[in-house]
Amino acid sequence: YGFINTCLKSLVVEKYGEETWEKLRLQAGVQDSFLTFEVYKDEITMQLVDKACKILGVPADMVLREFGEYFFEFCKRSGYDHMLRTLGGNLYEFIENLDALHSYLALSYQAILFFFVFPQEMNAPSFRVEKNEDGSMHLHYYSDRRGLCHIVPGIISAAALDFFNIEISMEIVNQTEEEERTGKKEHIVFLVTQNPVFSYKERNEYSSSSQYLADSEKQVEKQLNKEDLEKAKNTFRERGSSVCPVKKSHWKTIRGIITLGKGKLLRGFDPVYPKSLWIDTKTFCNGLPFHMVFDKELRVKQAGVSIQKIVPGLQTTGICLDHYFSIVHPEVPFTISSIQKFINSQFVFQTRREMMPESWKQRPMLELRGQMIWMESLQCMLYLCSPLLRTLHELEERQMHIADIAPHDVTRDLILLNQQRLAEMELSNQLERKKEELRILSKHLEEEKKKTEALLYAMLPQHVANQLKEGKRVEAGEFKECTILFSDVVTFTNICAQCEPIQIVLMLNSMYLRFDRLTTVHDVYKVETIGDAYMVVGGVPVPVPTHAERVANFALGMIIAAKGVQNPVSGNPIQIRVGIHTGPVLAGVVGEKMPRYCLFGDTVNIASRMESHGVPSKIHLSSSAYQCLKYKNFEMTERGEIEVKGKGKMHTYFLVRNKTATENEIMGRP
């Protein structure tokens, strides 16, 4: 299910950042988000774990353990906290009831299985725990999926510390291919040992009060009747303490089972049994309509009335139970020894189709779920069970009724409640899908917005475009000093006369793409292009003191870039003229339908004259531009006085090169 992949994503984002997750998912080739109740292939999860190990440079067992610890917290945050806390009063009971929790969640959520979330048609892992005399325990872990066992220590350790305030260590002591469970599941045996976790304050209090406790112990023991004390000790030993119990002092043992000064047992309990069973056989079989009793050879000794009604073969005393049922969970052979080994697990039986009455042949097979109880005195096994039904639809499919289930059986309520729960889940799924669709649409919208903004910013300066988007009026601004450049293609008119229009378009496009890249390299603003004329400015719309140097370097790059553009007539590289002038301008937005950011002033005219009176493949400078570049590591040569149309005589110069920058630096190459 997507729940586990969502958790893995959350872990990576929270611990390593969004960029690491993006890199991880791209390398794994998976989507960015997962629907909680959607079924995904196991390969997706395994691929994510594998790539995480490579990207983070961490061994798989460490990644899985960290994931286990985080998954426990993630499940708590997802609403499973109270459910988990009620599983048991100590770690042993907690682990012992994990299979029961799996079974419940499979029933309630249609196979949303806690700890390792797998679809119903895939078997959930199973846990079996054994106490050892030294206070440690062996945890047996069975799973269809190999290589995920290292998640277990992470989850169990987190649960032990959070719920029971104990630190545990877990090590693998055995790892085999389990022949006993069909399908050759992986069988891992962990040795679990624990130590108490004391706060600093608790350690100090314990240390300072040790003498007081020793004195109090003597006084209390005098007040206790010796017989009661021994009885209390024996009862306590029989009941056992918490799983992997920590060694306690004699005083702590006494204090845990008595009330000081009264000698009343708090935990000692001896049940009272009647001398004979006050219930007749008929009432028992009617009151527990789905129970079965069978011996070591699996011969049926008795069965409840409802299960007899569904499986008439059970009315024949002594028939073999495995002829009529198969074990679905846990996946063990149908033998008394296998059942005894997993006696703490919930057992699911399924009727065999070939042994059912003709009326059941076309119906789904009935499944029973319940617990096994070994009766030592009778050498028989009691199977207390109920029909495993999730919804009213499943009840109807088997042509059964609520009345077939005993009034005391909570399966009645569970079916009705789960019907409502499934409806809520379906609504939740729909909302989650809509949310995901909206997220994707929002992402696409954001991408389109960026494209639109990029196009807008290519036409107008960013701050001007933002003002226009906000509906504000853009006031014209005066810039006291900037540097303007004009360029054009030499003999452009002749080229146009001898070529097809498409050839001219391709030539200009090739040239302008090169020039546009250079505007980014040297951070100058492209004002406009008209035909073969290209106009840029430095120091507008954002004033900078290095405007002249930027435009000069851009001009040098233009001359180099133009050599890579072919003249469609001659086949030789095209030649361009470049003119540069420095001075004040007025800048503002003109028009509403197709607004343009335009420059006005005599500086524009003079820059244009520098270009038109220039020389092919040369950069023509006005005296003001020369003065700005004079001490900036540029090589320039004097042209002298020339007659400029509308301006009279002007002293001009040619820009030759940048003394400190290489050609690659000018062109922005690596």
Side-chain angles (χ1 to χ4, degrees):
Y1 276 80
F3 183 79
I4 198 167
N5 293 331
T6 301
C7 174
L8 185 54
K9 174 186 175 181
S10 179
L11 168 63
V12 174
V13 171
E14 189 173 308
K15 295 289 182 70
Y16 305 101
E18 190 75 45
E19 292 181 359
T20 303
W21 164 252
E22 190 65 19
K23 182 179 178 181
L24 173 60
R25 79 168 190 85
L26 288 175
Q27 287 192 16
V30 302
Q31 63 266 48
D32 183 45
S33 59
F34 305 91
L35 299 178
T36 303
F37 302 125
E38 191 78 21
V39 178
Y40 297 92
K41 292 182 179 179
D42 288 348
E43 287 77 7
I44 293 178
T45 305
M46 300 306 295
Q47 188 78 353
L48 286 171
V49 172
D50 179 60
K51 296 301 179 184
C53 294
K54 293 178 180 177
I55 292 174
L56 301 176
V58 179
D61 57 338
M62 292 182 63
V63 170
L64 291 172
R65 184 183 177 96
E66 184 177 6
F67 173 70
E69 293 172 354
Y70 185 84
F71 189 58
F72 173 75
E73 294 298 327
F74 188 78
C75 289
K76 283 175 58 183
R77 294 202 301 263
S78 300
Y80 293 95
D81 186 29
H82 290 165
M83 186 183 296
L84 294 172
R85 288 182 186 276
T86 58
L87 279 186
N90 55 54
L91 188 58
Y92 178 85
E93 294 173 355
F94 178 84
I95 299 174
E96 194 176 41
N97 283 281
L98 279 180
D99 280 10
L101 178 63
H102 284 157
S103 179
Y104 163 74
L105 291 176
L107 183 66
S108 181
Y109 295 94
Q110 290 186 309
I112 301 173
L113 303 176
F114 176 72
F115 274 91
F116 304 95
V117 186
F118 301 122
Q120 185 186 10
E121 59 270 23
M122 303 178 186
N123 294 314
S126 182
F127 299 90
R128 181 166 63 87
V129 63
E130 299 170 342
K131 285 183 180 180
N132 300 323
E133 291 182 0
D134 61 355
S136 64
M137 65 181 178
H138 281 106
L139 170 61
H140 296 257
Y141 162 76
Y142 303 87
S143 176
D144 275 335
R145 287 153 186 81
R146 296 172 180 82
L148 294 179
C149 62
H150 295 289
I151 298 178
V152 178
I155 296 177
I156 300 299
S157 297
L161 186 61
D162 190 289
F163 292 163
F164 310 111
N165 197 35
I166 55 175
E167 287 182 346
I168 64 170
S169 59
M170 295 180 64
E171 59 177 307
I172 297 176
V173 294
N174 192 18
Q175 185 169 356
T176 59
E177 294 288 338
E178 182 60 57
E179 296 285 351
E180 183 180 339
R181 294 166 63 86
T182 58
K184 284 193 174 182
K185 287 195 173 187
E186 186 177 54
H187 177 196
I188 309 292
V189 182
F190 294 95
L191 175 63
V192 185
T193 56
Q194 76 173 52
N195 293 310
V197 179
F198 289 117
S199 67
Y200 179 78
K201 181 179 179 182
E202 286 174 329
R203 284 198 298 269
N204 288 342
E205 289 178 352
Y206 179 81
S207 177
S208 62
S209 61
S210 59
Q211 183 60 44
Y212 169 76
L213 294 178
D215 295 339
S216 299
E217 176 184 353
K218 294 178 181 179
Q219 295 176 9
V220 172
E221 286 184 357
K222 289 178 181 178
Q223 298 174 22
L224 289 171
N225 179 278
K226 186 175 181 180
E227 184 179 344
D228 289 343
L229 179 60
E230 288 303 318
K231 185 177 180 181
K233 288 180 181 178
N234 293 335
T235 302
F236 186 75
R237 290 193 193 101
E238 289 172 4
R239 290 176 55 84
S241 59
S242 62
V243 145
C244 305
V246 180
K247 187 176 180 181
K248 296 184 178 181
S249 68
H250 179 64
W251 158 244
K252 283 193 173 182
T253 302
I254 301 301
R255 187 175 58 176
I257 58 175
I258 64 171
T259 302
L260 290 176
K262 296 181 180 179
K264 299 295 185 181
L265 294 179
L266 294 178
R267 297 185 184 177
F269 170 71
D270 290 325
V272 176
Y273 299 104
K275 292 181 180 180
S276 60
L277 194 61
W278 288 87
I279 183 171
D280 61 81
T281 306
K282 184 176 180 181
T283 303
F284 189 88
C285 291
N286 281 290
L288 297 173
F290 284 96
H291 83 278
M292 288 180 282
V293 176
F294 54 95
D295 61 16
K296 288 184 175 181
E297 284 73 38
L298 304 181
R299 291 192 296 267
V300 177
K301 297 300 182 180
Q302 72 180 56
V305 293
S306 292
I307 192 63
Q308 291 182 37
K309 178 181 176 183
I310 295 170
V311 186
L314 295 178
Q315 292 182 312
T316 304
T317 305
I319 59 102
C320 286
L321 190 63
D322 58 340
H323 291 173
Y324 289 85
F325 293 93
S326 59
I327 300 178
V328 176
H329 179 83
E331 293 184 19
V332 296
F334 210 140
T335 62
I336 202 72
S337 59
S338 297
I339 293 173
Q340 285 178 324
K341 182 175 284 190
F342 289 86
I343 200 163
N344 290 325
S345 300
Q346 286 195 337
F347 278 76
V348 177
F349 281 12
Q350 185 181 65
T351 54
R352 295 186 181 276
R353 188 174 297 277
E354 65 273 13
M355 302 301 289
M356 293 295 285
E358 197 64 35
S359 59
W360 270 84
K361 296 289 187 181
Q362 305 304 318
R363 305 180 204 171
M365 290 296 96
L366 177 67
E367 290 185 345
L368 302 172
R369 179 173 64 104
Q371 73 172 116
M372 294 289 182
I373 301 174
W374 175 247
M375 297 180 289
E376 184 66 29
S377 61
L378 299 177
Q379 290 292 293
C380 287
M381 188 73 73
L382 169 63
Y383 182 37
L384 289 173
C385 57
S386 301
L388 182 56
L389 300 170
R390 298 176 179 84
T391 62
L392 293 174
H393 177 68
E394 292 184 1
L395 191 73
E396 292 171 345
E397 279 185 326
R398 290 157 181 78
Q399 296 184 18
M400 295 177 64
H401 303 86
I402 293 290
D404 294 327
I405 305 170
H408 62 78
D409 194 336
V410 294
T411 304
R412 284 171 163 240
D413 300 323
L414 191 58
I415 292 173
L416 297 173
L417 289 172
N418 207 41
Q419 187 71 24
Q420 180 182 356
R421 172 63 178 163
L422 291 177
E424 292 173 354
M425 282 179 57
E426 179 59 29
L427 180 60
S428 176
N429 285 340
Q430 291 178 11
L431 290 174
E432 193 171 6
R433 289 192 184 94
K434 291 297 179 184
K435 179 183 176 182
E436 179 63 15
E437 289 174 7
L438 288 174
R439 190 192 67 81
I440 294 172
L441 287 174
S442 177
K443 184 178 179 180
H444 290 165
L445 181 62
E446 189 64 27
E447 291 173 356
E448 293 302 319
K449 182 183 176 183
K450 287 180 180 178
K451 292 179 184 178
T452 304
E453 287 179 344
L455 184 60
L456 182 60
Y457 295 154
M459 299 172 61
L460 297 168
Q462 186 169 339
H463 75 281
V464 172
N466 290 338
Q467 284 181 290
L468 291 175
K469 284 197 299 182
E470 294 170 5
K472 297 178 181 178
R473 182 179 176 182
V474 182
E475 299 290 342
E478 184 178 354
F479 296 84
K480 293 183 178 179
E481 189 176 74
C482 67
T483 299
I484 298 176
L485 175 149
F486 276 94
S487 74
D488 74 344
V489 178
V490 178
T491 66
F492 181 70
T493 305
N494 295 335
I495 294 173
C496 291
Q498 299 177 50
C499 294
E500 294 293 328
I502 188 62
Q503 292 178 294
I504 302 300
V505 171
L506 293 174
M507 181 192 74
L508 291 178
N509 186 56
S510 176
M511 182 177 69
Y512 288 161
L513 286 175
R514 289 171 165 80
F515 292 173
D516 289 346
R517 192 185 69 83
L518 288 172
T519 61
T520 303
V521 172
H522 298 291
D523 197 16
V524 294
Y525 179 68
K526 175 183 175 182
V527 181
E528 63 181 347
T529 58
I530 302 175
D532 65 324
Y534 195 92
M535 178 183 178
V536 300
V537 62
V540 176
V542 180
V544 289
T546 57
H547 54 84
E549 296 97 297
R550 295 185 184 191
V551 173
N553 286 323
F554 174 76
L556 292 169
M558 292 179 79
I559 298 297
I560 299 170
K563 295 176 182 178
V565 181
Q566 193 177 51
N567 185 326
V569 176
S570 65
N572 298 321
I574 62 170
Q575 291 183 307
I576 61 171
R577 286 189 297 260
V578 180
I580 299 176
H581 176 63
T582 299
V585 296
L586 188 71
V589 177
V590 178
E592 289 184 356
K593 191 170 185 180
M594 291 186 64
R596 297 295 301 171
Y597 189 70
C598 298
L599 306 182
F600 303 94
D602 196 45
T603 300
V604 179
N605 297 328
I606 295 174
S608 179
R609 293 289 183 265
M610 290 297 102
E611 173 266 313
S612 60
H613 289 74
V615 178
S617 299
K618 295 279 189 178
I619 302 169
H620 196 198
L621 303 177
S622 68
S623 58
S624 62
Y626 170 79
Q627 292 300 323
C628 287
L629 298 172
K630 190 173 182 180
Y631 304 105
K632 305 293 185 181
N633 294 315
F634 287 95
E635 182 181 332
M636 295 172 285
T637 59
E638 185 178 358
R639 184 180 185 185
E641 282 192 353
I642 62 171
E643 186 71 28
V644 178
K645 182 179 178 181
K647 296 297 177 183
K649 293 182 183 295
M650 293 186 68
H651 205 83
T652 61
Y653 303 81
F654 288 122
L655 174 63
V656 180
R657 67 187 181 91
N658 185 318
K659 296 178 183 178
T660 59
T662 64
E663 180 176 312
N664 284 339
E665 290 174 333
I666 293 292
M667 298 302 294
R669 298 171 188 149

